[in-house]
């Protein structure tokens, strides 16, 4: 009785980047073979369909064996089973941890738990990302979260060192970890127009200005938890809206600086008190967990939407927040409290506001 075997012999492990992407995207072997054939690979390599299928299956097996190493990327460089050049190792790691924007947008801010993972069937159907790929991406988020949540030092640097990711991808994962830890609400309908990158930029600003790490760079959870004492101090901003004289003085300073610089000046002047109340009230309530979670939806409802209804431009928003901040510095009450000036809100939320208005 004869037995047919497909044998591949070699030294350097052969990995086709296109096939690797098919595997990452959750394609079956048959689907991957079909796409490769449609791409003309048979004519290009002068191979038969059987050979193409065998090659695809062999590469899928290689990727599956490599996957456990990709869970701890540093092990990939030290193992001897696969002869993979350094530049190819970097490609494998970067692509394995790359995620789909539409997928992460659906789970951003949610708890990385079994309950959320059970809902991935619905997420897959909604986004068009295969269930297998959804699970890989979700497991990657959870894996990174677990590794870095108790580490000391900068969040982005910890992710980059432990998972050997590019700076851009490490920063994106830092945003995912930050949102998962603080459970920010991102799924409400009014926030649907915002992309993951919009939120990622805001996460970077919040991490730089509002976390424990902004004050002490060698504490646990430094870039994950919001600094409680700072959030408590933000309550002192209430005087900007409860003291009528101070409110009028602040308005006068801002409007004097804005006059003649924008077509929206009349609207800015007329709505100054309402907008100031909106910003300060948001800041003053951030000691409550629920209000932290509703941070972005509150900004949309109490600040962004009023500005959009008055047809402010992105330039108008920058101008207004800049002078709102600078004028507060001039007030005697805040001259020596730089860390409390409402510009903190500006620094953390400016991109969010601008993107909202430009949409």
């Amino acid at each position: 009785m004869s037995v047919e075997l497909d044998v591949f012999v070699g030294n350097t492990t052969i990995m086709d980047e296109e096939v690797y992407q098919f595997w990452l995207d959750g394609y079956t072997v048959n689907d991957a073979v079909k796409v490769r054939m449609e791409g003309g690979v048979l004519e290009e390599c002068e191979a038969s369909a059987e050979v193409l299928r065998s090659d695809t299956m062999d590469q899928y097996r290689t990727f599956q064996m490599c996957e456990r190493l990709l869970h701890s990327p540093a092990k990939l460089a030290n193992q001897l089973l696969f002869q993979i050049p350094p530049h190819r190792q970097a490609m494998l790691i970067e692509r394995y941890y790359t995620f789909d924007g539409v997928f992460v947008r659906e789970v951003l801010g949610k708890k990385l738990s079994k309950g959320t993972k059970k809902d991935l069937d619905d997420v897959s159907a909604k986004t068009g990302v295969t269930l297998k790929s959804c699970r890989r991406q979700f497991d990657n988020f959870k894996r990174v979260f677990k590794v870095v949540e108790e580490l000391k030092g900068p969040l982005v640097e910890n992710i980059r060192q432990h998972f050997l990711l590019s700076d851009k991808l490490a920063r994106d994962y830092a945003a995912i970890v930050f949102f998962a830890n603080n459970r920010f609400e991102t799924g409400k309908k009014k926030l649907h127009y915002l992309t993951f990158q919009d939120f990622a930029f805001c996460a970077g600003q919040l991490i730089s200005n509002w976390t424990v790490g902004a004050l002490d760079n060698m504490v646990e959870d430094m870039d994950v938890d919001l600094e409680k004492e700072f959030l408590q101090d933000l309550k002192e901003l209430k005087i900007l809206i409860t003291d009528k004289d101070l409110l009028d003085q602040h308005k006068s300073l801002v409007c004097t600086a804005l006059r003649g610089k924008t077509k929206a000046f009349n609207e800015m002047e007329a709505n100054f008190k309402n907008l100031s109340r909106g910003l300060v009230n948001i800041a003053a309530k951030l000691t409550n967990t629920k209000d932290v979670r509703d941070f972005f939806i509150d900004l949309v409802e109490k600040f962004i939407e009023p500005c959009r209804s008055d047809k402010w431009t992105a330039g108008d928003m920058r101008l207004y927040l800049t002078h709102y901040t600078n004028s507060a510095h001039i007030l005697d009450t805040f001259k020596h409290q730089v860390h409390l000036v409402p510009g903190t809100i500006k620094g953390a939320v400016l991109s969010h506001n601008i993107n909202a208005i430009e949409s």
Side-chain angles (χ1 to χ4, degrees), residues 210 234 237-238 240-242 247 250 271-286 291 294-307 312 320-321 324 342 345-346 349 353:
W210 288 17
L234 286 179
L237 293 174
K238 290 282 285 187
L240 275 175
I241 58 175
T242 57
L247 178 59
H250 190 202
N271 294 326
F272 177 85
K273 293 183 178 180
N274 287 334
L275 293 175
S276 186
R277 288 191 185 99
L279 282 177
V280 171
N281 282 329
I282 290 172
K285 295 192 302 178
L286 289 175
D291 290 307
D294 290 340
F295 179 59
F296 291 99
I297 193 68
D298 285 344
L299 279 171
V300 167
E301 292 179 346
K302 299 175 182 178
F303 192 74
I304 295 174
E305 288 183 343
C307 295
W312 287 27
Y320 179 87
L321 290 175
Y324 186 88
I345 294 180
K346 172 194 168 186
V349 188
N353 291 339

Side-chain angles (χ1 to χ4, degrees), residues 7-22:
V7 179
F8 293 83
V9 180
N11 184 19
T12 300
T13 304
I14 298 175
M15 293 181 173
D16 187 297
E17 292 188 24
E18 182 184 43
V19 178
Y20 183 51
Q21 193 60 53
F22 291 149

Side-chain angles (χ1 to χ4, degrees), residues 15 27 89 115 191 261 332:
M15 293 181 173
Y27 281 52
Q89 291 181 23
L191 300 177
K261 295 181 179 179
D332 290 337

Side-chain angles (χ1 to χ4, degrees), residues 47-160:
S48 66
E50 290 76 14
V51 170
L52 182 63
R53 178 178 173 78
S54 294
D55 173 66
T56 305
M57 289 182 66
D58 181 68
Q59 293 202 52
Y60 266 48
R61 283 191 292 267
T62 300
F63 300 144
Q64 288 164 3
M65 288 187 287
C66 285
E67 188 166 19
R68 63 181 179 81
L69 299 172
L70 291 169
H71 291 171
S72 301
K75 294 180 179 179
L76 192 62
N78 300 320
Q79 55 81 38
L80 301 175
L81 181 60
F82 303 103
Q83 302 300 310
I84 307 173
H87 73 278
R88 187 55 63 92
Q89 291 181 23
M91 180 277 293
L92 292 174
I93 295 168
E94 190 79 2
R95 287 202 184 184
Y96 187 80
Y97 284 91
T98 296
F99 51 81
D100 293 291
V102 290
F103 171 74
V104 69
R105 187 63 185 82
E106 290 296 317
V107 300
L108 188 66
K110 293 183 179 179
K111 190 174 182 179
L112 300 175
S113 63
K114 291 181 179 179
T116 303
K117 190 171 183 178
K118 288 180 181 178
D119 296 331
L120 293 185
D121 297 68
D122 295 333
V123 174
S124 174
K126 181 178 180 180
T127 62
V129 179
T130 66
L131 181 58
K132 183 177 179 181
S133 183
C134 286
R135 287 173 175 165
R136 172 183 60 81
Q137 294 176 54
F138 182 85
D139 288 342
N140 285 345
F141 299 160
K142 189 173 181 178
R143 185 181 306 110
V144 172
F145 184 95
K146 284 189 173 183
V147 168
V148 303
E149 66 175 335
E150 300 298 337
L151 292 177
K152 294 182 179 180
L155 180 58
V156 173
E157 187 60 27
N158 283 338
I159 294 173
R160 190 163 46 215

Side-chain angles (χ1 to χ4, degrees), residues 130-292:
T130 66
L131 181 58
K132 183 177 179 181
S133 183
C134 286
R135 287 173 175 165
R136 172 183 60 81
Q137 294 176 54
F138 182 85
D139 288 342
N140 285 345
F141 299 160
K142 189 173 181 178
R143 185 181 306 110
V144 172
F145 184 95
K146 284 189 173 183
V147 168
V148 303
E149 66 175 335
E150 300 298 337
L151 292 177
K152 294 182 179 180
L155 180 58
V156 173
E157 187 60 27
N158 283 338
I159 294 173
R160 190 163 46 215
Q161 288 185 0
H162 281 78
F163 292 92
L164 308 182
L165 304 180
S166 65
D167 182 73
K168 174 63 171 64
L169 192 54
R171 291 183 183 280
D172 284 346
Y173 268 91
I176 294 168
V177 170
F178 181 71
F179 268 74
N181 182 73
N182 291 286
R183 303 287 301 281
F184 288 111
E185 173 60 59
T186 66
K188 293 291 180 65
K189 187 175 181 180
K190 288 186 177 182
L191 300 177
H192 283 180
Y193 65 90
L194 291 169
T195 67
F196 166 72
Q197 288 304 325
D198 293 331
F199 283 116
F201 182 92
C202 291
Q205 295 296 309
L206 289 166
I207 288 171
S208 297
N209 293 287
W210 288 17
T211 62
V212 179
L215 302 177
D216 186 347
N217 63 4
M218 282 306 293
V219 295
E220 292 184 359
D221 298 342
M222 60 166 289
D223 288 345
V224 177
D225 293 331
L226 297 173
E227 214 285 309
K228 293 181 180 179
E229 185 176 349
F230 167 72
L231 297 181
Q232 186 67 37
D233 288 345
L234 286 179
K235 289 186 175 182
E236 295 180 28
L237 293 174
K238 290 282 285 187
I239 196 173
L240 275 175
I241 58 175
T242 57
D243 186 313
K244 186 178 184 303
D245 291 338
L246 198 62
L247 178 59
D248 290 339
Q249 186 181 356
H250 190 202
K251 176 181 177 180
S252 177
L253 289 170
V254 174
C255 291
T256 298
L258 289 173
R259 186 172 282 107
K261 295 181 179 179
T262 171
K263 294 179 181 179
F265 174 77
N266 290 336
E267 289 77 10
M268 291 180 178
E269 184 178 38
N271 294 326
F272 177 85
K273 293 183 178 180
N274 287 334
L275 293 175
S276 186
R277 288 191 185 99
L279 282 177
V280 171
N281 282 329
I282 290 172
K285 295 192 302 178
L286 289 175
T287 52
N288 300 318
T289 302
K290 183 182 183 304
D291 290 307
V292 170

